[in-house]
Amino acid sequence: MTSPLPSGETLPQPVLNPPASVAVFLVATIAPGGEGAVREVLGSLAGLVRSVGFPCPDGGLGCVAGVGSRAWGRLFDGPRPAELHPFRELAGPRHLAPSTPGDLFLHIRAARTDLCFALAAELVRRLRGAVTVRDETQAFSYFDSRNLLGFVDGTENPVGQAAADAALVGEEDPAFRGGSYALVQKYLHDVDAWDALAVEAQEKVIGRTKLTNLELDAPGSHKDVNTVLGPDGAEQRILRSAMPFGRPGHGEFGTYFVAYARTPGIPETMLRKMFLGGPGAGPDPLLDYSRAVTGSLFFIPPAGFLEALPGG
């Protein structure tokens, strides 16, 4: 398989950047007639990030932009990403993965809250009247890479070339080499019910020890259900970019989950196992304590695509 790590004009957006301390996630739908403003923002995004981040060179400001299936043809002429389609709702015996509206996805991240805020505010100002913001989530790192359930998150993420192989499109879709698919979901946790479990019971649900993050032999656990094997028996990888968010005063505790993948088929297979179950496994026991409230799929074009947008 040809390596997807591109060079020159097909460099990716900052999908492969390491996790940041702070993030703002925006999902929006495009109003009729708003296409021009959205194209203008996408085309100027790299320069806008540089301008906002310039006074704080150690702030690590970055932004990943994605476009949904229903908006792609409204924004761009020419070919479309081969596997781009709307998020497919999954209704299991006990749990639902809903499909929610989303034409535009912006993943802003930095080491400082003010940088994320400033960029988000400027993007929303430029898009005012052209889009409706369907979801805005301000997320943060929590202790030592833990989620709000107290467990380390993202342990199995690939790094280096393996991350590029997992997250970036290669020669299988040459017009979009260096792009990525982003499957986006927002989960709310029932922390009272979770905290009522003994630590040993929580570990059985997750499939790892809580303190040391060691893998357990726990068939049917969250980790077990989220493992997808290819035809050759090798584990199929995605690049997870999950972050906690919450508003304690409103009783809101959650995880914003983004899976960047070379093909959406891998995270979609994971979700089918989680929500629908399968032979001898699933549904995911974590869903008894975590409820999906959004679900969208986007394509993240390579950086060069945004700098020279095709006609629309």
Side-chain angles (χ1 to χ4, degrees):
M1 182 170 62
T2 305
S3 169
L5 191 62
S7 59
E9 68 277 7
T10 58
L11 283 171
Q13 294 188 59
V15 167
L16 304 179
N17 284 17
S21 300
V22 186
V24 173
F25 300 98
L26 294 168
V27 173
T29 51
I30 303 172
E35 294 84 2
V38 173
R39 282 176 53 88
E40 186 173 341
V41 164
L42 291 175
S44 62
L45 183 60
L48 183 59
V49 172
R50 287 192 296 270
S51 295
V52 174
F54 182 79
C56 309
D58 297 328
L61 179 64
C63 182
V64 170
V67 175
S69 177
R70 294 186 177 93
W72 188 271
R74 295 171 58 191
L75 293 173
F76 315 121
D77 292 335
R80 57 185 282 128
E83 297 187 76
L84 181 59
H85 56 262
F87 183 95
R88 295 163 180 153
E89 180 179 289
L90 297 171
R94 300 200 309 272
H95 309 294
L96 174 69
S99 176
T100 52
D103 294 331
L104 182 65
F105 172 60
L106 296 166
H107 176 183
I108 304 167
R109 51 187 166 187
R112 295 172 41 164
T113 302
D114 57 346
L115 291 176
C116 287
F117 179 87
L119 181 57
E122 181 60 23
L123 288 169
V124 170
R125 185 189 71 79
R126 295 185 181 208
L127 291 168
R128 187 173 299 131
V131 306
T132 298
V133 175
R134 299 289 182 170
D135 185 73
E136 175 183 353
T137 301
Q138 300 187 33
F140 49 87
S141 61
Y142 187 65
F143 291 114
D144 47 344
S145 300
R146 295 181 183 268
N147 56 36
L148 298 187
L149 301 178
F151 283 77
V152 174
D153 209 352
T155 301
E156 298 296 329
N157 258 356
V159 296
Q161 184 61 50
D165 291 339
L168 302 182
V169 173
E171 290 302 330
E172 68 273 15
D173 193 2
F176 295 101
R177 185 170 181 237
S180 184
Y181 292 89
L183 188 149
V184 177
Q185 288 181 295
K186 186 174 182 177
Y187 287 86
L188 295 178
H189 307 314
D190 184 345
V191 293
D192 290 336
W194 181 254
D195 289 342
L197 294 178
V199 170
E200 293 79 5
Q202 293 179 353
E203 292 176 335
K204 186 176 180 181
V205 169
I206 298 296
R208 290 185 177 276
T209 58
K210 191 169 188 178
L211 178 63
T212 58
N213 191 41
L214 296 178
E215 186 176 332
L216 298 172
D217 182 15
S221 66
H222 173 69
K223 182 196 178 300
D224 182 50
V225 172
N226 275 267
T227 299
V228 174
L229 303 180
D232 59 355
E235 184 173 348
Q236 304 293 288
R237 300 286 190 178
I238 59 174
L239 188 63
R240 292 172 170 84
S241 188
M243 292 190 75
F245 68 90
R247 297 184 299 166
H250 293 77
E252 182 181 83
F253 302 85
T255 295
Y256 202 97
F257 176 74
V258 182
Y260 289 115
R262 184 171 186 157
T263 167
I266 296 174
E268 287 173 337
T269 298
M270 293 177 179
L271 289 188
R272 284 194 295 271
K273 291 179 65 180
M274 287 177 62
F275 285 85
L276 307 182
D284 189 338
L286 186 57
L287 294 179
D288 291 333
Y289 307 93
S290 297
R291 176 172 58 94
V293 294
T294 71
S296 304
L297 179 68
F298 303 92
F299 185 73
I300 312 299
F305 181 97
L306 297 185
E307 292 169 2
L309 292 175

